[in-house]
Amino acid sequence: MSLLSGLPGIVEAAKKEYEETKSGDFRTTSKKGNSLSNLIVQGENLSFMKYLAEKRGLAGGIKLIYVDPPFFSGTNYQARIKTQSPLTGEVPAFKIVAYEDKWAQGMDEYLKMLASRLFMMKDLLSEDGCLWMHLDWHVVHYVKIIMDEIFGEKNFINEIIWHYKSGGTSKNHFSRKHDTLLFYGKGTKTPLDIPKEKSYNRERKPYRFKGVKEYRDELGWYTMVNMKDVWHIDMVGRTSNERTGYATQKPEALLERIIGSCTKEGEICADFFCGAGTAAAAAQKLGRRWIACDGGDMAVSFAEKRLAKAGASFEIMKDALKERKTEGKIDIKIEIINTSFEGKKLIRTEITNYRPDIKNLPLEKEGRKIIKELSEKDSLSLIDYFSMDFDYDGEIHRSDVYYFKDRENECICCEKILKKWGKISIKVTDIFGNVFMKTLDLSAGAGIS
Ligand SMILES: C[S@@+](CC[C@H](N)C(=O)[O-])C[C@H]1O[C@@H](n2cnc3c(N)ncnc32)[C@H](O)[C@@H]1O
């Protein structure tokens, strides 16, 4: 059967999957600050969306959903990891598989995956909410037909062409330098604040039309018009501060334009294929609330680090039934030191050793060799960041403070004067996104000198 004639069956099967999907058992594992609504979630997005609708009462509660799913490219994508080791000298950057975009049963399987999630996203959107689907030439034509079916043709708003310059070329076709974003409203009334842009006059000369305001810059005369549907925005550059190393990371400027034009401060924006958390980072900058979900540990750890650095408050959630186990081990030394400051005591936490679970890391040959050598000579270079909860409630780690390893060994040790002698918890994340938790009860004074 041709794919075209198979489309109704694909949508039917996707609808069944959506109806039969059960909510995942998502639990908060960690919190930063007090916010209840910003979420970073590690897990399968279909069962997470069901969880949001059924257990968090968010059906009809989300104003904007942006998704940038795998594009059906038939490739595996990697995260580029760079670490430093003063003990081994320059460490070459290496790559680790971040996510796969390969579909054993072809396009049918891919389209069914996307369509079942589209049904779920529609449930979560508010009546005046909207959905942005980010794709490229591989499947956008089929997905538009499916979205017309699920969202209704009349609710289609725009097909945005995002044009960029970077990437490769080929002798066999014109250089592919754009992605396509399909923009739909849940209903027919989607409030939109369209930004203005410059439109240069022909030959860049003044027109002097009555009542039309004209401006001039170094390129010539122009007027300000409502933004058009072709957007020229650069990809995240190699040396940009924004760059996380996560493959297929999108620029914040693109997401700021989308979120800024369709939502107001305080409204909820969600991204269920969040990767390194670009949509959440843009939402955070613009004062929106946000939800970011991804199935990969690596993606979630990149997103957590990025949002923590941006000063955001958030909860981290995981599907309790799908915890990834690692056999890696972390050694942490805790010292309590008397100070001369009002007789107060200082707690010193130091990560002293790390034995990673190398055999279970999705590394290629070269990366495995580098990691093996680092783990023997300087295993602490494999720690990325850690956070401390100095008032641990025995259940949820609430990060009072994060330590990032941006400079040599910065994150290995922390010192803090304690106000209270209760439980503390330490959450350590390695450069592969593996998380280790340690807790300690200081009230009993156990094991502490
Ligand atoms: C193209 S990337 C997103 C990149 C992101 N926009 C950014 O700027 O970093 C797609 C992401 O979707 C995630 N993903 C794919 N299928 C998923 C699923 N069923 N549930 C949750 N995440 C999924 C992958 O792990 C990957 O990180």
Side-chain angles (χ1 to χ4, degrees), residues 283-326:
Q284 173 68 24
K285 245 193 216 169
L286 297 176
R288 275 56 166 174
R289 290 182 291 157
W290 48 264
I291 298 171
C293 169
D294 200 287
D297 298 275
M298 185 69 87
V300 168
S301 97
F302 275 55
E304 177 186 355
K305 185 169 162 186
R306 184 172 186 180
L307 272 305
K309 280 189 174 181
S313 306
F314 50 82
E315 272 179 53
I316 299 182
M317 304 193 85
K318 282 197 170 131
D319 192 332
L321 303 174
K322 301 205 175 124
E323 277 293 315
R324 181 172 97 175
K325 298 271 178 279
T326 168

Side-chain angles (χ1 to χ4, degrees), residues 43-45 68 70 99 246 248-250 272-276 278 294-295:
E44 160 53 48
N45 53 19
D68 172 25
Y99 71 95
Y246 197 80
T248 66
Q249 179 188 346
K250 304 301 180 298
F272 298 109
F273 293 84
C274 78
T278 308
D294 200 287

Side-chain angles (χ1 to χ4, degrees), residues 165 226 337 428:
K165 294 193 281 279
N226 275 2
I337 302 163
V428 184

Side-chain angles (χ1 to χ4, degrees), residues 237-250:
R238 276 177 199 281
T239 54
S240 160
N241 286 340
E242 216 178 297
R243 194 175 177 94
T244 61
Y246 197 80
T248 66
Q249 179 188 346
K250 304 301 180 298

Side-chain angles (χ1 to χ4, degrees), residues 178-193:
H178 79 271
D179 289 1
T180 305
L181 289 95
L182 302 173
F183 171 29
Y184 281 77
K186 175 159 172 184
T188 48
K189 291 201 176 79
T190 307
L192 192 54
D193 186 5

Side-chain angles (χ1 to χ4, degrees), residues 196-213:
K196 298 276 182 198
E197 67 180 1
K198 289 179 182 179
S199 175
Y200 285 97
N201 299 353
R202 272 185 296 279
E203 297 176 36
R204 318 239 154 166
K205 291 182 181 152
Y207 291 152
R208 303 196 202 290
F209 292 137
K210 215 172 160 201
V212 178
K213 210 158 178 204

